[in-house]
Amino acid sequence: MPNCPECTAREKKKIITKYEEETAEEERGRDDLFKLFDEIEIPMKIDPARKNNFICKRCGLYATREQVSDIRYKLNQRERTRDDKHDDYLEWWSKSKKEKAEN
Ligand SMILES: [Zn+2]
């Protein structure tokens, strides 16, 4: 069964918040987060009346398999855009630090 994309996204946000609270900035790693993400299990239930439809018992999302992957894709996309911005910032930050050190 597919995981509910909405609940998974919410769960990820919770994991990130907790991780950032508990882990010092220099010890954080993306792989650690991905490992935690892998443990998320919020499987949807199949609708017995319409076999290609899934329902989430937690948030009530009702969608076909295609819609589920579509929602997941869109949510990931949003996530990635935020990450990229963050990386740009980090790059700028470490560059300016380096420049300061050189001057
Ligand atoms: Zn859900």
Side-chain angles (χ1 to χ4, degrees), residues 6-7 9-10 19 22-23 26 37 44 52 55-56 58 63 75 82-83 90 92 102:
E6 295 279 358
C7 288
R10 250 194 300 274
Y19 185 74
E22 290 174 351
T23 316
E26 58 272 20
F37 290 166
M44 299 176 84
N52 195 33
I55 185 155
C56 174
R58 219 195 260 202
L75 288 169
R82 209 185 304 143
D83 276 358
L90 271 183
W92 167 83
E102 278 166 2

Side-chain angles (χ1 to χ4, degrees), residues 24-73:
E25 202 159 349
E26 58 272 20
E27 283 164 18
R28 285 178 205 160
R30 269 187 197 202
D31 290 347
D32 287 348
L33 271 179
F34 286 144
K35 244 176 257 162
L36 293 169
F37 290 166
D38 279 345
E39 284 164 22
I40 302 173
E41 259 185 70
I42 308 160
M44 299 176 84
K45 296 258 183 301
I46 199 157
D47 178 359
R50 296 159 161 235
K51 297 272 187 237
N52 195 33
N53 287 259
F54 298 93
I55 185 155
C56 174
K57 293 277 178 198
R58 219 195 260 202
C59 72
L61 177 73
Y62 186 79
T64 64
R65 192 181 282 277
E66 289 73 27
Q67 285 166 334
V68 167
S69 24
D70 201 44
I71 296 169
R72 183 179 301 133
Y73 175 77

